[in-house]
Amino acid sequence: MVWICPTCGRACKTLRDLKIHHKIKHKTSLPQDYLQDVTEAEASNGIKILPVDPEVFIPKNVPKYVPTNSEFEIFEAHLESGVPLLLIGPKGIGKTLSFAAFAAQKGVPIIQFDCSENVKRGDLIGRFLLRGDEVVYQLGVIPTAFEVANKKGAAILVFEELNALTPQMQKVLNQALDWRRHCFIPELNKVYRLKPGVKLLIAATMNPSTYGGVHELNEDLLSRFAVWYWNYPGKDLEKRIITEVALRNGFNEIPGEILDGILRLAKETRASVAAGDVEYALSPRDIVQFCQLYIAYSKYFSGKSLLKKALETSVLGKYEDEDHRKFVKQRIESVFGVRI
Ligand SMILES: Nc1ncnc2c1ncn2[C@@H]1O[C@H](COP(=O)(O)OP(=O)(O)OP(=O)(O)O)[C@@H](O)[C@H]1O
Ligand SMILES: [Mg+2]
């Protein structure tokens, strides 16, 4: 048995070595939950690996996605070639939805993993768990993706908000993303890899690093991905997206001039962010939300008060700063001719 550091993934020969390593390298004792896990594991004779059910990853009820730039063809090429793909772009423009919709269209299982600062090696690779009085090993998201792909012939693994991972956890992804295309679990002495002919697309999404509050991507991780920058759709394209989404979702009764207005307002906020006037740019997600609320509120309100209520929650509510609220109120008044 080897002892894996939960913080940096280093393998140690004994628990004592691991404790010393953690104290010196990470200046803290081993986390309590890790000690519980491994102590239980040590007491066990054989290690049972919890089985993976690929059916739970078959996408269901995915909203309609309107491809605008041959996204599905590109995703297909990456699934075929196995070259990892990272999408970088502002919030709410359909990065996450595009992968889910692609998977749904193909009927391929998709594992969407939300990255955060708190992600540990156990989440990515696996961890010992105590089930009743039995010690079992629960696979992390990477070997799970290999298992699911092998069982279904293909799979997609998406790391959402990739740059929320700490630099140490980013390192853990490397072996699955480069030519090795495998996941070695030292504590099980087992390597997960794809069977011949099986496809696995490892993808990721993130906002540009200028958004703040997140880590930089390690260069070694970045270099393993092909990177595709996305931006807000152009005016006509955005109108087409919203119109098609509205049609599909039954909120197509929105008057044309109101739809044009919200599209114009969103565009103005994006320019205002670039000019430094406000911090929040309305995205296609906000526009879709406005349309949903306009229809939902129409049961209780009508005319100007309906428009004002929908704008208040889906637009103005996104601005906390007093000056920014004032600025957006003025823009709303100029675009829609209503005061809120
Ligand atoms: N091309 C599109 N087709 C259909 N809906 C879209 C499209 N682009 C944006 N949307 C709308 O925007 C929403 C946001 O999509 P999604 O969650 O995929 O954004 P994201 O780019 O991953 O955002 P974040 O960076 O915040 O995670 C969707 O639910 C949908 O309402
Ligand atoms: Mg997303």
Side-chain angles (χ1 to χ4, degrees):
M1 170 140 185
V2 257
W3 301 86
I4 302 297
C5 173
T7 311
C8 68
R10 185 194 162 120
C12 300
K13 280 200 180 122
T14 64
L15 181 58
R16 188 167 169 273
D17 286 354
L18 174 59
K19 283 181 177 170
I20 295 168
H21 154 79
H22 208 275
K23 197 92 201 163
I24 295 173
K25 180 93 198 286
H26 308 297
K27 317 262 181 291
T28 57
S29 304
L30 276 174
Q32 203 51 41
D33 57 348
Y34 179 85
L35 276 178
Q36 273 165 11
D37 281 354
V38 295
T39 310
E40 295 301 341
E42 197 181 25
S44 79
N45 294 323
I47 299 166
K48 184 177 162 196
I49 301 169
L50 288 180
V52 170
D53 177 6
E55 296 308 320
V56 300
F57 299 108
I58 301 287
K60 290 183 189 82
N61 305 325
V62 178
K64 180 178 168 59
Y65 176 77
V66 185
T68 55
N69 199 7
S70 309
E71 292 90 319
F72 287 5
E73 288 79 1
I74 300 276
F75 294 170
E76 183 75 51
H78 279 265
L79 180 65
E80 286 295 319
S81 64
V83 178
L85 178 63
L86 166 63
L87 300 186
I88 303 183
K91 62 183 162 30
I93 57 166
K95 301 183 296 296
T96 300
L97 178 59
S98 62
F99 283 120
F102 172 68
Q105 193 193 65
K106 286 186 70 74
V108 165
I110 181 167
I111 299 152
Q112 295 172 293
F113 181 79
D114 290 324
C115 300
S116 79
E117 287 232 308
N118 300 322
V119 167
K120 299 205 178 102
R121 185 183 170 278
D123 302 308
L124 299 171
I125 302 292
R127 58 163 61 90
F128 292 107
L129 292 178
L130 194 58
R131 281 280 163 98
D133 53 5
E134 188 187 24
V135 174
V136 294
Y137 195 83
Q138 182 187 46
L139 294 177
V141 72
I142 301 173
T144 295
F146 281 88
E147 280 281 274
V148 170
N150 281 335
K151 284 182 178 165
K152 300 298 278 187
I156 300 170
L157 167 61
V158 188
F159 292 99
E160 302 288 352
E161 314 301 342
L162 182 68
N163 53 347
L165 289 181
T166 61
Q168 290 97 325
M169 288 307 109
Q170 292 180 28
K171 297 261 181 216
V172 175
L173 306 189
N174 282 351
Q175 56 168 331
L177 292 169
D178 58 33
W179 56 271
R180 289 172 288 175
R181 299 271 288 164
H182 73 206
C183 180
F184 174 48
I185 309 186
E187 54 270 47
L188 300 178
N189 199 23
K190 195 171 159 69
V191 178
Y192 283 80
R193 50 169 70 91
L194 297 178
K195 290 182 188 156
V198 171
K199 311 280 180 212
L200 174 64
L201 166 58
I202 304 186
T205 69
M206 61 181 244
N207 299 132
S209 31
T210 46
Y211 271 40
V214 286
H215 300 284
E216 291 278 319
L217 274 198
N218 293 341
E219 274 200 8
D220 50 351
L221 179 62
L222 181 62
S223 73
R224 283 164 168 79
F225 279 102
V227 185
W228 194 4
Y229 273 84
W230 285 17
N231 212 333
Y232 297 110
K235 192 166 148 251
D236 294 340
L237 206 52
E238 189 159 27
K239 186 167 181 175
R240 182 162 74 76
I241 294 169
I242 303 299
T243 310
E244 283 193 35
V245 172
L247 203 65
R248 181 61 78 98
N249 290 287
F251 45 82
N252 50 329
E253 305 114 49
I254 296 177
E257 69 274 15
I258 290 190
L259 195 57
D260 285 342
I262 190 75
L263 287 162
R264 200 176 118 204
L265 183 66
K267 224 170 153 16
E268 285 190 11
T269 62
R270 293 167 203 165
S272 305
V273 168
D277 293 327
V278 289
E279 280 169 5
Y280 187 93
L282 294 175
S283 67
R285 178 189 284 138
D286 297 298
I287 300 177
V288 169
Q289 189 186 71
F290 167 83
C291 295
Q292 284 172 320
L293 292 180
Y294 189 89
I295 295 303
Y297 293 171
S298 67
K299 206 170 156 193
Y300 308 100
F301 305 94
S302 61
K304 287 214 160 151
S305 65
L306 166 61
L307 176 62
K308 278 157 69 167
K309 287 277 180 260
L311 285 169
E312 231 170 86
T313 47
S314 65
V315 175
L316 194 59
K318 312 277 161 78
Y319 298 85
E320 207 183 331
D321 180 282
E322 244 345 285
D323 290 338
H324 295 180
R325 282 176 74 84
K326 220 160 139 189
F327 183 90
V328 173
K329 276 183 185 178
Q330 278 169 0
R331 299 315 318 143
I332 288 177
E333 196 174 333
S334 125
V335 171
F336 292 100
V338 291
R339 286 182 74 90
I340 52 174

